[in-house]
Amino acid sequence: MDAIIIGFMGSGKTTVTQLLAEKLNVKFMDLDSLIVDQIGQSISDFFKDNSEEKFRKVETEVLKQSASLNGILATGGGTPIYNVNVIKEMDLPVFLLDAKDETIKNRLSKDIGRPLVNKLGFNGIIELKHERDAIYNELSDYIIFTDDKTPLEVANQILKILRR
């Protein structure tokens, strides 16, 4: 694997990782999609019959399996929180995509398909982001602020770092 992209929901992980993989001519990997392939159902359907603990076990296994693949990996927002040691052991550059609270709220307000937003509301989501920030920062080698940048600008910024 070439790099791992982490960050809170709405930070742009999936879009930026797709662009970056395209520019590097490597495989784009989205951990949530890899998990769906592994469990054979959507994550929301999985949660209907299973606990978060069971999901996190599957997530950890799929994350470990992905370490041997070539490409750029976008994690889920919670992945780093439950897999600090796994990510550290991967010994890859970790890029944190970060954004201000207002930016996250604006982006998530346009995306109604997020069960956690519906459950916690915007204030709860921002509180969760603040709880996760310390671990995101601990794991990241590079922090890229995405507020006033297009996904392409963010991908190009990461590309410059990777090519150093």
Side-chain angles (χ1 to χ4, degrees):
M1 187 162 335
D2 297 286
I4 300 172
I5 311 297
I6 67 171
F8 196 70
M9 69 178 82
S11 63
K13 296 180 303 289
T14 301
T15 304
V16 168
T17 303
Q18 286 174 317
L19 291 167
L20 186 59
E22 193 175 291
K23 287 182 160 296
L24 289 168
N25 199 28
V26 298
K27 186 176 180 183
F28 157 71
M29 292 177 288
D30 178 77
L31 189 63
D32 286 347
S33 295
L34 295 173
I35 291 168
V36 167
D37 291 345
Q38 179 90 12
I39 62 177
Q41 63 186 135
S42 72
I43 292 173
S44 59
D45 284 345
F46 183 85
F47 269 107
K48 288 177 187 171
D49 300 320
N50 298 281
S51 65
E52 182 177 6
E53 182 181 339
K54 187 167 183 181
F55 172 77
R56 295 299 175 189
K57 285 181 182 177
V58 172
E59 177 184 57
T60 298
E61 282 309 306
V62 174
L63 179 62
K64 288 177 180 177
Q65 292 166 9
S66 71
S68 64
L69 303 173
N70 293 323
I72 305 288
L73 177 70
T75 68
T79 304
I81 308 310
Y82 299 94
N83 292 282
V84 171
N85 291 332
V86 174
I87 292 173
K88 285 181 178 180
E89 289 169 10
M90 292 172 89
D91 197 31
L92 294 165
V94 177
F95 292 87
L96 168 60
L97 303 188
D98 201 356
K100 295 175 186 165
D101 295 351
E102 276 308 307
T103 302
I104 295 293
K105 282 182 184 179
N106 288 336
R107 289 177 182 169
L108 293 178
S109 69
K110 298 171 189 161
D111 184 357
I112 57 170
R114 300 208 185 234
L116 200 54
V117 175
N118 296 335
K119 180 180 174 184
L120 298 178
F122 287 119
N123 290 337
I125 286 295
I126 296 306
E127 189 176 306
L128 180 63
K129 178 187 181 300
H130 291 183
E131 290 171 12
R132 292 178 173 182
D133 279 343
I135 293 174
Y136 289 153
N137 286 309
E138 174 191 338
L139 283 173
S140 63
D141 298 302
Y142 306 95
I143 301 173
I144 312 290
F145 293 95
T146 64
D147 299 283
D148 299 318
K149 296 179 183 139
T150 66
L152 185 57
E153 289 170 328
V154 174
N156 284 333
Q157 187 175 351
I158 294 171
L159 187 61
K160 285 179 187 174
I161 294 168
L162 288 174
R163 289 192 168 154
R164 278 193 222 153

